[in-house]
Amino acid sequence: MSRRTHGTAQVPAPDLQPVILGGDIGAYSLARAFHEAYGVRPVVVSTVATGLVRDSRILRNVVEPGIDDAPTVVKRLRTIAAWYPDKQLIALGSADWLVRTLVENRSRLEDLYTIPYVDLTTFDKVTDKVLFGELCLRLGIDHPATVVHDVQGGGVPDTSGLRFPVIAKAADTAAYHLVEFPGKMKVFTVDSPADLAELLERVRASGFQGAFVIQDLIPGDDSGMRILTCYCDQDGKVRFSAFGDVLVEEHTPGALGNPAGIVTRHDQRIVEQATRLLEHLGWRGFANFDLKYDPRDGRTVFFELNPRLGRSNFYITAGGRNSVELYVREHLQGLDAMPDGVPDHLAEPHLYTVLPRPLLRRYVTDPQMRATVRRLERERRVTNPLWYRAETHPRRIAYLLAAQANQVRKFRRYYPWPRRGAGA
């Protein structure tokens, strides 16, 4: 994988100190973006010292087992702030529930930290998939047919308007994070009404208090998925967009649905729909959308909005626009979020992947996309966020090599299709 860097920020920020909640690849990608742009070592607060952040030379990892407990997180963040008394602190979360912790406790933190997220009311409007679907319907934004079920109310939802198999997922991901039950997954594919009833009973028994969303399953494999990230300035105007075609997704239960390969491009029609929604909300900061192309009618439907930079956020920085620079320019430096003369979208194709390239190519079956992937590889326009030339610790390099081999094993177990074209 290419280990190239993607440039420094136009305006230095020597007093900057980022603090990031989370220990996943999204958290590491944010840390790398800050390091590339400003040369700083962010603090990454994680439940355990994961291999993604352990032995890193570009960040300082702080282990906080109580990261699920808001008072503990607030106390830890205030302690960290005391380490950097002369710095401009900014706090980010790498998952919805961590962003919610920051938003809900803004009044206890904003004397020390910039917290560049929307207010709680707006946050709840979009992170609840029921409210998001209603908003899409009202604004004329393409969205799949949906049934909403009150889990604790029991019973069986009316799915007569849907065709099985269907997709089932929690309406509130932050609340869903707090429960456990056998076979828990981020997203379920359900084959029959009986299977749906059995799943919902398991969720009910876990104590989950929210709703479950049952949606039309859009046909097609991972290659039909799309990703869009937009940035809105403090006046609520969309200033930047980064769109891409997903090549393949993760298929392990805990990471199901997260993009593992993306080729960036631009789609003005999709950006216009997202702009209509975000500006209606008066959104601030980043919004990340999951979408899928429907071959039955040619629409690309919006599934959900993540109120943050997504797990695969480095596709933006790799594509030519360092994502965290927008935060720093506007929230800490008082500048326009977008530097003069910079395009308002990612204009050139770039390949983002967390997989070994031979494994990635196995799952790219479309001839035109295969040719695009090959061309981007030849042109060295390909980035794996974990391979960064500033990371030289031998234990980290050994971990990454083992992790790449493990990707092959995971895909063989969870996503063996397709086999044609292997090794091409």
Side-chain angles (χ1 to χ4, degrees):
M1 294 298 173
S2 167
R3 300 193 189 195
R4 75 184 186 94
T5 57
H6 305 90
T8 57
Q10 288 195 358
V11 179
D15 297 329
L16 172 66
Q17 182 56 55
V19 180
I20 301 162
L21 299 181
D24 64 359
I25 192 171
Y28 178 82
S29 296
L30 288 170
R32 175 174 170 176
F34 276 114
H35 188 267
E36 285 196 6
Y38 301 103
V40 298
R41 292 182 70 227
V43 174
V44 174
V45 183
S46 58
T47 309
V48 296
T50 68
L52 292 166
V53 295
R54 187 175 57 244
D55 300 318
S56 171
R57 297 198 189 280
I58 70 160
L59 60 86
R60 178 178 181 178
N61 183 214
V62 172
V63 173
E64 176 46 75
I67 202 169
D68 282 338
D69 178 64
T72 299
V73 172
V74 170
K75 182 179 179 180
R76 174 65 73 173
L77 288 174
R78 296 192 70 86
T79 297
I80 292 170
W83 301 344
Y84 304 99
D86 300 319
K87 297 292 187 179
Q88 288 185 299
L89 294 153
I90 182 170
L92 300 176
S94 67
D96 286 1
W97 61 279
L98 293 169
V99 174
R100 172 178 282 278
T101 297
L102 293 172
V103 170
E104 288 183 332
N105 293 278
R106 189 192 305 270
S107 64
R108 302 168 66 190
L109 292 167
E110 63 183 354
D111 60 317
L112 299 172
Y113 288 89
T114 293
I115 300 174
Y117 298 112
V118 294
D119 61 88
L120 185 59
T121 299
T122 306
F123 181 96
D124 285 339
K125 285 180 182 178
V126 298
T127 54
D128 186 307
K129 294 176 178 60
V130 177
L131 296 178
F132 178 72
E134 292 172 351
L135 187 60
C136 287
L137 182 64
R138 189 160 71 247
L139 296 176
I141 292 167
D142 294 329
H143 189 260
T146 301
V147 171
V148 180
H149 177 67
D150 175 10
V151 172
Q152 290 302 318
V156 179
D158 179 6
T159 56
S160 58
L162 302 176
R163 291 178 291 182
F164 281 83
V166 296
I167 294 295
K169 54 191 175 182
D172 184 342
T173 56
Y176 188 62
H177 168 77
L178 301 176
V179 301
E180 294 294 337
F181 58 91
K184 179 183 176 180
M185 299 176 70
K186 179 182 175 183
V187 180
F188 297 87
T189 300
V190 186
D191 292 327
S192 69
D195 289 343
L196 179 61
E198 189 274 334
L199 167 63
L200 293 174
E201 176 55 28
R202 277 189 287 140
V203 178
R204 187 198 64 78
S206 76
F208 177 65
Q209 297 297 313
F212 242 60
V213 171
I214 302 100
Q215 286 182 332
D216 183 21
L217 190 156
I218 307 299
D221 61 16
D222 293 357
S223 64
M225 296 302 297
R226 307 288 184 259
I227 186 170
L228 172 65
T229 305
C230 296
Y231 184 84
C232 297
D233 63 20
Q234 295 190 70
D235 293 326
K237 299 298 181 183
V238 173
R239 302 296 306 281
F240 174 77
S241 65
F243 183 77
D245 295 323
V246 175
L247 306 180
V248 63
E249 295 181 321
E250 296 275 4
H251 282 265
T252 52
L256 183 65
N258 292 308
I262 301 167
V263 170
T264 55
R265 65 179 177 90
H266 185 57
D267 190 313
Q268 186 60 34
R269 181 178 179 274
I270 298 301
V271 172
E272 287 172 353
Q273 289 192 69
T275 298
R276 186 160 68 247
L277 186 150
L278 293 169
E279 294 189 354
H280 171 82
L281 287 167
W283 194 259
R284 306 290 190 275
F286 279 104
N288 171 244
F289 296 94
D290 295 331
L291 311 93
K292 189 172 186 180
Y293 172 76
D294 189 339
R296 298 171 298 185
D297 56 18
R299 297 185 308 155
T300 299
V301 298
F302 285 69
F303 283 146
E304 62 184 5
L305 187 162
N306 301 302
R308 55 182 168 84
L309 284 163
R311 178 184 171 98
S312 53
N313 66 79
F314 205 80
Y315 87 95
I316 306 166
T317 300
R321 176 73 268 146
N322 189 293
S323 57
V324 300
E325 186 184 1
L326 279 70
Y327 276 145
V328 174
R329 286 180 62 88
E330 187 173 34
H331 289 268
L332 298 180
Q333 296 178 325
L335 302 172
D336 193 300
M338 293 292 289
D340 291 341
V342 173
D344 64 0
H345 62 273
L346 292 185
E348 299 295 331
H350 191 91
L351 172 61
Y352 163 98
T353 178
V354 297
L355 304 180
R357 278 184 269 177
L359 178 63
L360 176 72
R361 289 196 298 270
R362 178 186 292 273
Y363 292 92
V364 182
T365 58
D366 177 76
Q368 185 175 351
M369 185 57 78
R370 287 175 68 87
T372 297
V373 168
R374 285 289 198 184
R375 175 174 59 82
L376 294 174
E377 288 179 335
R378 287 194 303 270
E379 296 172 356
R380 300 182 63 82
R381 290 155 66 181
V382 51
T383 302
N384 183 324
L386 299 179
W387 288 102
Y388 182 26
R389 67 184 183 187
E391 297 283 23
T392 57
H393 198 297
R395 284 199 299 268
R396 178 172 179 81
I397 293 171
Y399 165 79
L400 292 178
L401 291 171
Q404 292 287 275
N406 192 44
Q407 288 281 20
V408 177
R409 289 192 291 270
K410 287 193 302 182
F411 270 75
R412 283 178 176 171
R413 177 180 179 186
Y414 291 106
Y415 194 44
W417 185 91
R419 291 297 183 186
R420 290 183 301 169

